[in-house]
Amino acid sequence: MIHSKLPNVGTTIFTRMSQLAAETGALNLSQGFPDFEGPQALRDAVGRHIAAGHNQYAPLAGLPALRQQVAAKIARSYGRRVDMDNEVTISPGATQGIFCAIQALIRPGDEVIVFDPCYDSYEPSVELAGGRCVHVPLALPGFAIDWQRLGEALSAKTRLIILNSPHNPSGALISREELDQLAALIRDRDIYLVSDEVYEHLVFDGARHASILAHEELYRRAFVVSSFGKTYHVTGWKTGYVVAPPALTAELRKVHQYVSFCGVTPLQWALADFMAEHPEHVEELPAFYQAKRDLFCDLLGDSRFTFQRAAGTYFQLADYSAIRDDLDDVAMAEWLTRAHGVATIPVSVFYQLPPPDLRLVRFCFAKREDTLRQAAEKLCAI
């Protein structure tokens, strides 16, 4: 009989809700992927490189041309000069990059601090390494770090803190001042960071993303993870990258080479070409997604949902207390899908111990305008 190493892990809520949407014909605003295509020039480049014979293994660290473009983007965005050979690693998806960073750092008995609500891949990765997650709830309603609770959670066993900004599921942002506060808190401790920044370019209302890459002190102990899929509207390509100081990168690559060795070669070539030819793409993303957020929120203005507009990501939380306070959020998500034709994600699944009165669902607004209009019409009719 197999004794599972992950006995508490089942089918993810994202798979379940997407399957339910497909079964019922509901509009799928649950799983976080666009229902529109990435740039035509980027998609054309894939075919061009496949035809050119770029179909064998890429180097372990990723194609030099793509790592060079990542380094150039980081210099433009955050003012940091990173060494493409010793600090940038291309991974088959950000989730794999996070997994490898955790495996490189965590030993049996180590503790890892995660902030609830948090993305669902963090804890299984820690458990597989023999570590234990210590869950620190973010302070509601703004999903800010509770510094007292974080300080109380630190122990001699704390090896790693996982950050996520812009934050999934809430869209909240960590500020530069908060990064300074974190630096002061862990300055004299042997604690590392994994900074999940996959939505780094989806920041709205004139705000700027406070990246660990722009924080000299914290970067020295950090793995910073991002996603081409989120940035270029091609989530199915499952291609991301990890940036870390040379000593940490060396440890990351020891794990990465035995998990996947490398990412998909023609996709890397295509991304390198597009990034070189269209550096303006990332600059245009905030306005592109803010327009979708604003359209969706404006359309929901006549509904019975209440919300604060997301500061980042392509997710919008909404409180449904005025509609069905008798339902927990999992039941509410299923009811919305079956009875009203809109699939969403319950926020409680991102918690170890969700607040008992939590009445929040998460909508993905990375959708075509007609999809958002149809969804809003259904939601306003409730």
Side-chain angles (χ1 to χ4, degrees):
M1 181 177 178
I2 295 175
H3 294 280
S4 175
K5 296 181 74 173
L6 296 171
N8 299 318
V9 172
T11 304
T12 71
I13 190 67
F14 311 105
T15 298
R16 285 163 46 200
M17 294 310 300
S18 286
Q19 286 177 344
L20 185 59
E23 291 169 6
T24 60
L27 297 170
N28 189 357
L29 271 60
S30 59
Q31 197 169 359
F33 60 83
D35 69 347
F36 50 87
E37 295 294 342
Q40 185 67 50
L42 176 60
R43 290 181 284 132
D44 289 345
V46 178
R48 186 169 67 248
H49 283 291
I50 289 174
H54 295 156
N55 302 304
Q56 307 309 323
Y57 294 127
L60 179 153
L63 287 178
L66 183 54
R67 287 185 282 115
Q68 182 180 34
Q69 289 303 316
V70 170
K73 180 177 76 80
I74 291 170
R76 291 194 305 271
S77 298
Y78 308 119
R80 173 170 294 282
R81 303 286 178 178
V82 297
D83 182 340
M84 58 173 268
D85 292 321
N86 297 305
E87 295 181 74
V88 180
T89 305
I90 308 301
S91 62
T95 300
Q96 193 256 31
I98 292 168
F99 177 86
C100 290
I102 289 170
Q103 301 309 308
L105 280 177
I106 301 306
R107 302 158 299 194
D110 285 344
E111 292 181 350
V112 178
I113 291 177
V114 297
F115 295 101
D116 281 359
C118 71
Y119 189 62
D120 65 347
S121 83
Y122 301 159
E123 187 156 27
S125 300
V126 171
E127 291 178 350
L128 288 171
R132 182 178 77 90
C133 279
V134 176
H135 293 257
V136 177
L138 295 171
L140 298 174
F143 296 92
I145 293 174
D146 184 326
W147 293 100
Q148 180 176 341
R149 296 187 75 158
L150 174 57
E152 293 169 352
L154 294 175
S155 76
K157 294 182 178 180
T158 305
R159 175 75 165 169
L160 175 67
I161 297 173
I162 301 180
L163 302 173
N164 177 208
S165 179
H167 180 249
N168 178 15
S170 74
L173 307 177
I174 293 177
S175 67
R176 171 65 193 217
E177 291 72 25
E178 288 174 304
L179 293 182
D180 290 341
Q181 196 167 349
L182 177 62
L185 186 63
I186 65 174
R187 184 166 292 143
D188 299 322
R189 296 173 180 264
D190 185 27
I191 294 174
Y192 294 88
L193 303 173
V194 167
S195 187
D196 178 351
E197 302 184 16
V198 299
Y199 300 101
E200 60 176 319
H201 299 296
L202 280 62
V203 177
F204 312 133
D205 303 312
R208 290 186 61 84
H209 170 52
S211 175
I212 294 291
L213 290 165
H215 198 287
E216 184 65 35
E217 182 177 357
L218 291 179
Y219 177 67
R220 291 197 293 268
R221 58 173 83 204
F223 296 91
V224 182
V225 184
S226 196
S227 165
F228 298 108
K230 303 296 191 300
T231 299
Y232 296 100
H233 320 310
V234 286
T235 61
W237 288 18
K238 291 299 295 178
T239 306
Y241 60 90
V242 183
V243 185
L248 292 181
T249 292
E251 294 305 310
L252 173 90
R253 290 177 180 175
K254 289 178 184 179
V255 178
H256 165 67
Q257 69 180 334
Y258 294 115
V259 173
S260 64
F261 183 78
C262 65
V264 179
T265 302
L267 301 185
Q268 293 189 50
W269 278 109
L271 286 162
D273 284 358
F274 188 80
M275 291 178 73
E277 295 165 6
H278 297 282
E280 76 284 355
H281 177 88
V282 296
E283 304 299 329
E284 296 169 351
L285 273 182
F288 176 81
Y289 272 116
Q290 183 173 332
K292 291 184 177 295
R293 180 205 67 175
D294 288 345
L295 172 65
F296 186 57
C297 289
D298 289 347
L299 292 169
L300 284 186
D302 293 330
S303 76
R304 297 163 66 196
F305 291 93
T306 58
F307 53 87
Q308 294 292 324
R309 298 185 185 221
T313 75
Y314 47 48
F315 301 117
Q316 177 63 52
L317 298 190
D319 188 305
Y320 62 86
S321 300
I323 301 172
R324 289 293 304 268
D325 194 42
D326 59 312
L327 296 181
D328 65 32
D329 59 353
V330 175
M332 182 66 176
E334 293 180 353
W335 181 72
L336 285 172
T337 306
R338 295 183 185 278
H340 295 281
V342 180
T344 185
I345 293 291
V347 173
S348 66
V349 300
F350 296 90
Y351 281 88
Q352 181 187 47
L353 294 172
D357 58 347
L358 193 71
R359 294 294 184 268
L360 293 174
V361 290
R362 189 198 77 176
F363 296 103
C364 175
F365 57 81
K367 306 298 177 184
R368 299 187 307 268
E369 180 176 327
D370 63 318
T371 303
L372 296 175
R373 289 188 181 278
Q374 290 177 53
E377 182 178 0
K378 293 174 180 292
L379 295 170
C380 288
I382 300 173

